[in-house]
Amino acid sequence: QLVESGGGLVQAAGSLRLSCAASRSIFSLNTMGWYRQAPGKQRDMVASITTSGNTHYADSVKGRFTISRDNAKNTVYLQMNSLKPEDTAVYYCNTAPWSVGYWGQGTQVTVSS
């Protein structure tokens, strides 16, 4: 019900834009979030956006990442600029707080130094 895309390999200081397509039933009623999990680490929230567009960011990505949502397309985006090697992780979208049944496959982001 949540399908992430847009990951890839990028050099440090580069940019990527992630997309997450959701079913209308999930998207229209929920705050949506982007999460990431690096190897050997827990899955953490990166950013979230309410149905009215209010946003919240983890300190580690403030000023570099921008979350947005297109309510007509039931899609949430994560624009990632000034990427760092420590941003390397699998990125997932989900509701916020997350729902166990909504985890998708995620999309791999690899930032080379």
Side-chain angles (χ1 to χ4, degrees):
Q1 301 185 65
L2 294 170
V3 180
E4 303 94 344
S5 62
L9 173 64
V10 64
Q11 290 187 331
S15 299
L16 283 173
R17 188 194 195 203
L18 307 183
S19 299
C20 172
S23 64
R24 184 177 182 85
S25 62
I26 295 173
F27 188 86
S28 62
L29 299 177
N30 289 287
T31 295
M32 299 299 296
W34 281 98
Y35 303 77
R36 67 185 181 187
Q37 186 169 22
K41 295 188 176 181
Q42 68 180 19
R43 191 172 300 183
D44 293 323
M45 177 178 282
V46 173
S48 63
I49 184 166
T50 67
T51 55
S52 58
N54 293 316
T55 58
H56 175 79
Y57 298 94
D59 287 343
S60 58
V61 306
K62 279 181 181 176
R64 300 188 298 121
F65 290 10
T66 303
I67 189 171
S68 62
R69 62 192 293 161
D70 185 330
N71 293 331
K73 296 182 178 180
N74 298 326
T75 300
V76 60
Y77 302 99
L78 186 68
Q79 177 67 44
M80 305 186 295
N81 299 328
S82 303
L83 283 161
K84 304 175 181 180
E86 51 263 44
D87 294 319
T88 295
V90 179
Y91 284 71
Y92 303 86
C93 68
N94 203 319
T95 56
W98 53 263
S99 300
V100 65
Y102 292 164
W103 292 116
Q105 295 298 310
T107 185
Q108 176 71 48
V109 172
T110 303
V111 185
S112 63
S113 57

